[in-house]
Amino acid sequence: MPQLNVVPFVSVDNMMKLVHAIGIEQVMVELAQRIEDDFRRWESFDKTPRIASHSDVGVIELMPTSDGQTYGFKYVNGHPANMRRGLQTVTAFGVLAEVATGYPVLLSEMTILTALRTAAMSALAARYLAPKGATTMALIGNGSQSEFQALAFRAICGITEVRLYDLSTDATAKCARNLAGSGLRVVSCGSAEDAILGAQIITTVTADKQYATILSGNMIGPGVHINAVGGDCPGKTELAGDILLRSDIFVEYPPQTRIEGEIQQLPADHPVTELWQVMTGAAKGRRDARAITLFDSVGFAIEDFSALCYLRDKLATLPFCEDLDMIADPDDPRDLFGMLLRAKP
Ligand code: NAD
């Protein structure tokens, strides 16, 4: 029996050690597999759009789900202006709990884990949707998520070249530096138009709290796959509306994506395809070589559940956690007060 009053905690430091012990790309390959396995059993999960608390500068969200055995949630924020204060745009932590007792069984940092799982999810979707033989990806937005995206597409989709663009040349230089030696050919570009030249896959992963136009209609020709990651909140999108009308649109969980994704720009009955159905074979992915496919990524609770379960399983053989004294454990379960009294100094 595991000791239920002691909760394994994965700090940022331990998360980094764990990722390096396994290998960054290998973690994303394994995460993609785990997410795919869970998407294939989609119907066994409790699902709800995430619970968002908006402010003028950002959003704080809770993302819960359960498969009846295990419950999980992630706390995550999105504050595009944080960057100017020297803070991360996105930070997160998460919990797994045992449904049978309601006791938490894992607490983990999820800022790094979110970047890994988002990139794994993007590349997994692209494996079903991108044109066959795609080798080049434009990567627009070169902030925290960007290198993870590049490496996941290399490891999972066989991308060999990334073409970088960011409003900030410092961000692009940082991304290029971090990807040096990764095996990817890295090309830094001076505009989004330049970045998409020759790219079969276009990833947008910018942060701005507005209806931005990172890609306009005239930039998108037939046969590309768009991985739109940055538009993930009401009033925060990246693509011009006419691109959406020309695309076959794939989403995680429609009730959440209709609120948060690029498709918030479209009527509520505009057809979209759920990715889990593509993965089970119930729905078609890419129709033909000329179709424009769009993964309207917002990030869904099941992906975080998969990531936390993956982490829990890795901790069975890897030592990268510490015990947290987080759950009160009186010898007599009725005598919580007595336990407190006896602790009086
Ligand atoms: P970040 O702030 O570290 O990086 C964003 C980058 O975008 C910055 O370098 C900024 O200069 C650049 N940028 C902003 N406007 C631009 C424009 N018009 N053209 C080119 N570049 C521009 O943020 P991050 O942590 O990398 O996250 C990026 C986005 O991804 C955020 O919007 C975040 O909310 C979203 N996100 C989505 C998911 C998901 O599952 N879909 C998961 C994590 C993060």
Side-chain angles (χ1 to χ4, degrees):
M1 257 273 289
Q3 240 190 308
L4 283 179
N5 60 319
V6 172
V7 180
F9 167 60
V10 181
S11 62
V12 174
D13 187 44
N14 268 324
M15 180 63 74
M16 296 195 289
K17 287 180 176 142
L18 180 135
V19 170
H20 283 301
I22 300 167
I24 300 174
E25 290 188 19
Q26 183 62 22
V27 168
M28 292 192 285
V29 167
E30 292 174 8
L31 276 175
Q33 185 60 58
R34 187 86 193 209
I35 293 170
E36 187 172 16
D37 291 345
D38 284 338
F39 269 50
R40 286 194 170 145
R41 60 184 190 106
W42 187 259
E43 274 141 337
S44 52
F45 286 93
D46 258 1
K47 290 172 285 292
T48 178
R50 61 184 154 192
I51 301 143
S53 174
H54 296 280
S55 67
D56 290 345
V57 290
V59 63
I60 296 175
E61 296 163 324
L62 291 177
M63 304 172 69
T65 189
S66 165
D67 69 354
Q69 304 256 308
T70 305
Y71 171 92
F73 78 85
K74 180 169 85 173
Y75 166 105
V76 62
N77 77 302
H79 285 67
N82 271 4
M83 186 63 57
R84 289 195 288 279
R85 302 169 61 192
L87 301 173
Q88 290 285 296
T89 299
V90 175
T91 68
F93 67 88
V95 169
L96 279 185
E98 185 185 78
V99 168
T101 56
Y103 272 42
V105 293
L106 178 67
L107 171 65
S108 178
E109 91 77 41
M110 287 192 81
T111 305
I112 295 168
L113 194 56
T114 293
L116 292 161
R117 79 82 157 119
T118 302
M121 181 68 213
S122 284
L124 172 61
R127 224 180 53 209
Y128 284 96
L129 303 177
K132 289 269 163 300
T135 55
T136 303
M137 177 164 88
L139 186 47
I140 302 174
N142 302 152
S144 289
Q145 311 298 319
S146 60
E147 297 91 344
F148 296 88
Q149 291 279 330
L151 293 181
F153 275 82
R154 179 185 124 86
I156 295 167
C157 303
I159 286 299
T160 56
E161 175 173 327
V162 282
R163 301 177 61 80
L164 310 181
Y165 172 68
D166 194 293
L167 283 180
S168 155
T169 50
D170 286 350
T172 300
K174 175 255 350 176
C175 186
R177 207 166 46 240
N178 284 340
L179 292 175
S182 65
L184 283 164
R185 191 172 121 82
V186 179
V187 182
S188 300
C189 302
S191 67
E193 285 81 357
D194 187 9
I196 65 173
L197 282 181
Q200 302 90 10
I201 300 176
I202 302 172
T203 289
T204 56
V205 62
T206 66
D208 202 354
K209 203 165 165 52
Q210 60 161 328
Y211 294 108
T213 307
I214 307 301
L215 299 177
S216 53
N218 59 357
M219 292 165 72
I220 302 300
V224 296
H225 172 64
I226 304 170
N227 170 42
V229 180
D232 58 358
C233 229
K236 176 166 171 270
T237 57
E238 294 182 303
L239 307 186
D242 59 319
I243 297 177
L244 308 183
L245 297 175
R246 289 159 54 212
S247 302
D248 293 338
I249 302 173
F250 298 83
V251 303
E252 292 141 315
Y253 178 56
Q256 182 179 311
T257 313
R258 298 236 183 242
I259 299 168
E260 302 179 351
E262 296 300 325
I263 58 170
Q264 66 185 276
Q265 303 179 66
L266 297 177
D269 59 354
H270 188 89
V272 298
T273 304
E274 297 185 47
L275 270 170
W276 72 273
Q277 294 192 316
V278 177
M279 293 179 193
T280 59
K284 212 171 163 49
R286 167 166 286 274
R287 272 185 292 122
D288 57 50
R290 290 185 59 79
I292 300 169
T293 49
L294 165 62
F295 172 32
D296 187 359
S297 159
V298 292
F300 186 53
I302 294 176
E303 294 148 38
D304 299 307
F305 178 96
S306 308
L308 286 167
C309 290
Y310 170 77
L311 180 61
R312 178 200 57 197
D313 293 353
K314 286 290 173 192
L315 293 175
T317 51
L318 294 170
F320 302 118
C321 66
E322 53 208 278
D323 287 343
L324 272 194
D325 176 19
M326 204 168 104
I327 300 297
D329 183 36
D331 294 337
D332 171 357
R334 280 198 186 82
D335 197 18
L336 182 66
F337 189 79
M339 184 184 82
L340 173 63
L341 272 189
R342 285 188 293 281
K344 193 169 177 179

